[in-house]
Structures are given as structure tokens and as C-alpha cells.
């Protein structure tokens, strides 16, 4: 039934061709974290890359859910989560491969998904994964390396995009109608603006 | 005792607030990070707030110092970590508590650790560290802080005092054979906790092997007062090494060795004529293994220690433990540890030989519940058996509430 609905909706959505482009005011870039190495016999470097702030911009509304969603990954590499911010639609399966030659222990206490993957080798199969079936923000942490932080934003919409580090974004292939456009910047800041999309137009938005 | 109960009540009343303050603690962590010079200098303050409560059926066990059967031990620990470029790492640890080990003394403030580490190559083949820091021997130091330790206390070999008395030399074999007759704080364990003595260390990794060696101002058994370089300086250095082998990231096997004079300067005038502090050493050989996979973590260590005791000879002791931790759920884990210490015979001064301590074993069980990523509650029960005529079995219950920021 869902498949038929998707097939029927697909040409309508494709013909809508609405878009929103704009800019989100982002906070200043944070410094890279300090890796705690007090009791490690083997110390490897100390330069961790900085993750510049970006926004997740999404359109809130009642949209049909696809029958299946592509599997996404959050990789543990160089003692960081890559990407450090992932946006997915509700129902997406996310894998957590470990590509370091050391253990990590990914866990989340977030109400949207509470899990602890334990310690696993890079070659262990299957790669530990989680089905994210509830919308909300999931904070990823490592039980071994306290500086490691990642965020997965689980959204009840298929229309979302991550801005570039300057705050610019473009949402394409949107259906015409009136919606709420939201820009998630951090756990404490989500900007929003009502938008009305007309068929074939590109709407320009500045947030806030 | 009333004040201890009051602090306990306040602690548990605080727990729900801490749970709600989780986001605040995350923000506090961000606010306590600093950077400059285009991110080439980055520093961070972090800390632990601990409230520990112990109740024991007999005299206070291990390195707990009180005459009562209960003790409340609050502790505030502040850490400083800084990365200077890619090659230099600096860290320090300061504490406010009632003594380095749990006790009923007055609150005091101390700087327990400070060190600078230089890592010239990014592949980790070599690091040089100077300062006051935990020993490289064994595998316990990496998890001795309250957040990482699945138990409230340390394994027996790191906290159970022996008949070794570092401030005075025994006047005869008979006196040494009497065992612990003075105040417990006068005696020494095989390794005093993390042994934050002062010195230099080199460490690194080559293929599947890693190595570490340190030269410090005090032996592994030395007490916290001896760890400062201002006490006896480097007149009686101690050397410790560890060679580790990692067949893969799940396993870590190591062999450690240590040798150093264990008497403090105060004992010098009591040593046999013609001998000095450097003639009486603590010698240690230790093996350690750890394994981790999925929700299991296992550690084991065995220490063979020898103390060269004036007018007695060699006093040998063997100590070992096996420790397992299992995460039942993202927020709840349990741990079990079996410890044992076996004392060899020494002359009793009357022509015979007898053990220089009571053989003992202890079983520790603990459960930890993580309230949030920043707060946890731990509950431990320990059953100890000592090979003596009276009061062979003793029990201890301990609880610990920790906030990490």
C-alpha cells in the first residue's frame, strides 16, 4: 500500500520543483577538543580537526514516508566521529564502523535512542548499527575517549539539508504549500520561519 | 557521624538535580575549554566530585584510615589538560579531600599530579614525560579514577598494607615477625595506589609492542608524602619498566619490573652499621593481562614482590587479582573481582620461620548505574578472609556517587 502511494506521489513531487535557498546565521567556530592522555603509555599526536558549526535546515510538514531508506554511517576515525553531525529521516538505519586501530565505545543516553555498542574491532562483522525510529536529537559519545562527541538529528521529514560552514543552504524538489522552515543549530537553538512555496518558484530565506 | 549522614542525604537529594543539569554540565565543559594562537594552544579544565561512604564490620580495611566502622569521604578533583601544538601535552590533577586515601582527617587541598609530555613523532614511537605522575608498572593506573574504576576501592596489592614499615627498620627478626603492631598508616602496601611519585618516563609503541620506563624518587610501595621531590629528592631513585604486547586491540599483555629503595630518610639511623638506605630495596616483577570485547572487560595482574629487610632477609609476597566488568544495559554495569595475597616465611628470631603477614583473599562485587553521561552511583560489597585465629572474615559495604564535568 505504501509502495503504491509512493509511486503515485513521485510524479507529483517531481513536477513541483519548488526550492528554498537562503542563509542561516551560525555561531563562531569552536576550538578543537583536547584529548585526555594522562594515563596512556602510547601517545599519538594531539592534533584533532575542528568541526565548524553548521545548521540542519528542514521543512516541517506531513510528508509521505518512503518504503525504505538508505543506510547511513557515522565512522570513528582519528578519534573523532565522521560526520560529527548527521541528519536522517525517521526509520533510517545508521552503522558505526570503527576505522581506528584502537577501541571506541559508542553510546547514547538520549531519549530518542538509548544504546551502548560496546567495544568492537575494525574487522568485526556485522558493523554495529541502530535503527533510529523516533525523531529527536541523539548525542553520540565514546565511553573511552571523552572528547568525542557527535550528533544525529532524526527528523520526521524527507526534506532537509546541512548548510555549508558559511550558513548557506538550498532545499530542492519541494512540494508547493505552506510549511514551517526550521534551522537546527545546536541543542539549545532552533530557528524557524513560516514559508509558502508556489509551484516552480525558488523562495529566498534568511534565518533569523 | 551525624554530619556524615547529613552530607549523604544532601548528596542523594542532589542526584535528581544533577540528572536535570546534564545539559548544563555539557555547556560547562565547553566553557572550561580555552584556545589560542590559531588553536595551537588548547586547554581544558575538567573534574570529578565524589562522595564515598564506607561501612565495615571490623577495623577499617586497606588504605582507609579511621577508628570508626563507617566513613564518609568527599573528594573534589580538578584536572587540567593542555595540548601545545602537536608535540607537547601537559596535565595536572589537584584535589580537595580528607586525605589522599579515604580517612577522617580534615579537608585539605593538594596538587597530586603534574607533568609535561613531549611526543616528537606522530606515530607514537617515543614520548618523554617529566613531573609527578602515576607509575607505568601494571595495568591498574589507567582505571584508578572513580569514573573508570568499576569498584570503589583498589585491588588488594594496591591498598592492603603489609608488615613493611618505611620509617623505621626492625631492631630484630622477632620484632618484624610481630607484624602490624603500630598505627596502620605507618605500614606500606606492595604498591601505594597509583604511586604518583616524581621523575622521568619514556614510553612508546613499536609494532605490536609498547614499552615504558621511569626513574622516580620513590619506590612503588612508598607513601604519598614521599612522592614529592622536595621530600628526599632523588638520592634513592627507583626504576620501573613495562613491556606490553598487543596481538590485536582486544588484548593487552604486559610484564613489569621495578627496583628501588623503600625506606624513607627517617629510617637511615636505624639501619645496621655499614649499610645505607640503598642497600634495602623493594624488587617487583609483575604480569598483567587485559581483554575487552563488546560489553565485556577483563583485567588480571600478578605481583611478585620482595622487600629486603635489615636483620631479617628477604620478605616475599605474591599478590594477584582477576577482575571482570559487564555492561548489562547502556546505563548499568556490574563487576566482580577476586584478590589474593600470599606471604612467604621469614625468620621469627627464635630459630624457626613463619609467614610475615596473614594470607588473605577478598571478593569484591560492585554495581554501577549511570544516571546520565555525567553522574553515576556505585554500590560495592566486599568479603575478606584473613588467615588468623580470630575475626578471620570481615565485610565491607561501600557506595560512591560521582559527578563528572
Amino acid at each position: 500500500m505504501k509502495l503504491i502511494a509512493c509511486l503515485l506521489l513521485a510524479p507529483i513531487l517531481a513536477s513541483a520543483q519548488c526550492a528554498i535557498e537562503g542563509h542561516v546565521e551560525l555561531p563562531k567556530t569552536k576550538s578543537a577538543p583536547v584529548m585526555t592522555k594522562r594515563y596512556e603509555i602510547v601517545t599519538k599526536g594531539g592534533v584533532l580537526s575542528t568541526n565548524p558549526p553548521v545548521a540542519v535546515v528542514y521543512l516541517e510538514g506531513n510528508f509521505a514516508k518512503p518504503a525504505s531508506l538508505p543506510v547511513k554511517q557515522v565512522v570513528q576515525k582519528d578519534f573523532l566521529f565522521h560526520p560529527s553531525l548527521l541528519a536522517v529521516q525517521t526509520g533510517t538505519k545508521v552503522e558505526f564502523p570503527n576505522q581506528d586501530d584502537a577501541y571506541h565505545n559508542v553510546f547514547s543516553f538520549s531519549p530518542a535512542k538509548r544504546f551502548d555498542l560496546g567495544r568492537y574491532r575494525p574487522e568485526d562483522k556485522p558493523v554495529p548499527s541502530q535503527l533510529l525510529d523516533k525523531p529527536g536529537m541523539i548525542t553520540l559519545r565514546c565511553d573511552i575517549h571523552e572528547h568525542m562527541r557527535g550528533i544525529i538529528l532524526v527528523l520526521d521529514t524527507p526534506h532537509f539539508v546541512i548548510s555549508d560552514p558559511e550558513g548557506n543552504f538550498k532545499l530542492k524538489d519541494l512540494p508547493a504549500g505552506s510549511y514551517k522552515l526550521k534551522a537546527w543549530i545546536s541543542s539549545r537553538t532552533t530557528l524557524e520561519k513560516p514559508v509558502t512555496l508556489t509551484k516552480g518558484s525558488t523562495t529566498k530565506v534568511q534565518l533569523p | 557521624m551525624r554530619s556524615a549522614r547529613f552530607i549523604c542525604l544532601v548528596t542523594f537529594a542532589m542526584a535528581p538535580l544533577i540528572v536535570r543539569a546534564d545539559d548544563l554540565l555539557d555547556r560547562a565543559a565547553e566553557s572550561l575549554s580555552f584556545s589560542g594562537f590559531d588553536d595551537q594552544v588548547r586547554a581544558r579544565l575538567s573534574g570529578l566530585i565524589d562522595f564515598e561512604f564506607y561501612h565495615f564490620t571490623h577495623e577499617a580495611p586497606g588504605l582507609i584510615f579511621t577508628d570508626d566502622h563507617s566513613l564518609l569521604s568527599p573528594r573534589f578533583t580538578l584536572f587540567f589538560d593542555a595540548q601545545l601544538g602537536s608535540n607537547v601535552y601537559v596535565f595536572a590533577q589537584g584535589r580537595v579531600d580528607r586525605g589522599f586515601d579515604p580517612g577522617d582527617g580534615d579537608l585539605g587541598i593538594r596538587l597530586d599530579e603534574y607533568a609535561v609530555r613531549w611526543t616528537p613523532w606522530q606515530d607514537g614511537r617515543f614520548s618523554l614525560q617529566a613531573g609527578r605522575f602515576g607509575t607505568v608498572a601494571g595495568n591498574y593506573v589507567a582505571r584508578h579514577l572513580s569514573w573508570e574504576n568499576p569498584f570503589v576501592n583498589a585491588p588488594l596489592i594496591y591498598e592492603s598494607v603489609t608488615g613493611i614499615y618505611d620509617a623505621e627498620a626492625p631492631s630484630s627478626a622477632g620484632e618484624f615477625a610481630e607484624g602490624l603492631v603500630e598505627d596502620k598508616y605507618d605500614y606500606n602496601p606492595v604498591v601505594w595506589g597509583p604511586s604518583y611519585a616524581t621523575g622521568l618516563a619514556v614510553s612508546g609503541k613499536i609494532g605490536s609492542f609498547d614499552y615504558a620506563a621511569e626513574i622516580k624518587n620513590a619506590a612503588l610501595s612508598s607513601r604519598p608524602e614521599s612522592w614529592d621531590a622536595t621530600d628526599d629528592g632523588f638520592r634513592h631513585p627507583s626504576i620501573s619498566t613495562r613491556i606490553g604486547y598487543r596481538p590485536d586491540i582486544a588484548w593487552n599483555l604486559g610484564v613489569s619490573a621495578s627496583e628501588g629503595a623503600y625506606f624513607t630518610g627517617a629510617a637511615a639511623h636505624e639501619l645496621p652499621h655499614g649499610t645505607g638506605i640503598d642497600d634495602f630495596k623493594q624488587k617487583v616483577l609483575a604480569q598483567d593481562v587485559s581483554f575487552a570485547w563488546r560489553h565485556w572487560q577483563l583485567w588480571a595482574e600478578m605481583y611478585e614482590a620482595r622487600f629486603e629487610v635489615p636483620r631479617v632477609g628477604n620478605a616475599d609476597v605474591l599478590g594477584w587479582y582477576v577482575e571482570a566488568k559487564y555492561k548489562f544495559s547502556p546505563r548499568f554495569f556490574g563487576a566482580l573481582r577476586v584478590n589474593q595475597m600470599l606471604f612467604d616465611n621469614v625468620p621469627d628470631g627464635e630459630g624457626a620461620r613463619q609467614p610475615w603477614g596473614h594470607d588473605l583473599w577478598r571478593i569484591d562485587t560492585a554495581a554501577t548505574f549511570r544516571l546520565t553521561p555525567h553522574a553515576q552511583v556505585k554500590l560495592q560489597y566486599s568479603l575478606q578472609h584473613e588467615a588468623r585465629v580470630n575475626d578471620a572474615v570481615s565485610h565491607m559495604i561501600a557506595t560512591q556517587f560521582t559527578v563528572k564535568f
Side-chain angles (χ1 to χ4, degrees), chain B residues 309-344:
Chain B
V309 184
R311 304 179 185 96
V312 177
N314 295 329
D316 294 347
V317 58
L318 173 80
W320 64 268
Y321 70 88
V322 178
E323 182 175 321
K325 171 185 164 186
Y326 183 75
K327 271 190 190 171
F328 295 101
S329 77
R331 297 167 68 179
F332 178 64
F333 56 86
L336 177 71
R337 182 169 61 205
V338 180
N339 316 249
Q340 191 174 31
M341 284 180 74
L342 301 165
F343 293 85
D344 200 4

Side-chain angles (χ1 to χ4, degrees), chain B residues 136-399:
Chain B
V136 299
N139 69 14
Y140 170 67
V141 169
R143 66 182 192 285
H144 76 285
L145 296 172
S146 60
W147 191 260
E148 286 81 19
N149 187 357
F151 297 92
V152 180
N153 60 3
L156 267 183
I157 42 179
Y158 292 90
E159 66 151 38
S160 184
V161 292
T162 66
I164 293 298
Y165 192 167
D166 62 2
E168 285 180 24
S171 59
S172 65
E175 186 191 321
F176 182 71
E178 283 176 21
L180 281 68
V181 291
E182 306 289 337
D183 183 10
K184 187 171 73 170
Y185 194 73
D186 293 337
Y187 296 93
N188 302 71
V190 174
V191 187
W192 197 303
S195 189
Y196 294 143
T198 305
L200 283 171
V202 292
S203 61
K205 182 183 176 186
I206 299 165
S208 299
F209 291 90
D210 55 69
Y211 66 90
E214 65 186 14
I215 178 162
K216 286 190 163 176
N217 68 327
L220 291 179
S221 62
S222 61
R223 63 192 58 250
E225 292 88 330
S226 303
W227 297 343
D228 248 332
T230 51
D231 185 38
D232 253 4
F234 275 89
R235 284 185 293 162
H236 313 292
S238 186
I239 293 171
S240 304
T241 61
R242 180 182 182 275
I243 302 291
Y245 173 60
R246 272 183 181 264
D248 73 5
I249 63 173
W251 289 93
N252 194 344
L253 299 94
V255 178
S256 304
S258 181
E259 184 177 297
Y262 66 92
F263 279 116
T264 64
H269 66 282
E270 296 184 350
L271 297 175
H273 184 67
T275 64
I277 283 177
D278 286 326
D279 294 317
F280 302 99
K281 291 188 169 152
Q282 177 190 15
K283 295 177 179 176
V284 170
L285 185 64
Q287 303 80 40
D288 65 82
V289 58
S290 66
F291 171 77
W293 191 69
R294 298 292 160 128
H295 297 106
W296 280 103
Q297 281 179 271
L298 300 166
W299 301 270
E301 285 187 278
M302 185 182 285
Y303 271 72
E304 302 93 42
R306 166 168 291 175
F307 293 91
E308 295 170 343
V309 184
R311 304 179 185 96
V312 177
N314 295 329
D316 294 347
V317 58
L318 173 80
W320 64 268
Y321 70 88
V322 178
E323 182 175 321
K325 171 185 164 186
Y326 183 75
K327 271 190 190 171
F328 295 101
S329 77
R331 297 167 68 179
F332 178 64
F333 56 86
L336 177 71
R337 182 169 61 205
V338 180
N339 316 249
Q340 191 174 31
M341 284 180 74
L342 301 165
F343 293 85
D344 200 4
N345 293 330
V346 293
D348 66 357
E350 293 174 4
R353 292 176 70 83
Q354 68 172 55
W356 64 283
H358 298 297
D359 288 352
L360 70 159
W361 56 258
R362 193 177 77 197
I363 295 172
D364 303 309
T365 57
T368 303
F369 188 74
R370 290 236 162 123
L371 301 159
T372 76
H374 297 282
Q376 69 181 19
V377 178
K378 216 179 276 174
L379 182 65
Q380 178 177 336
Y381 166 72
S382 295
L383 171 70
Q384 182 167 308
H385 179 274
E386 277 190 62
R388 58 186 184 187
V389 178
N390 297 316
D391 295 330
V393 176
S394 60
H395 311 267
M396 183 188 82
I397 290 174
T399 183

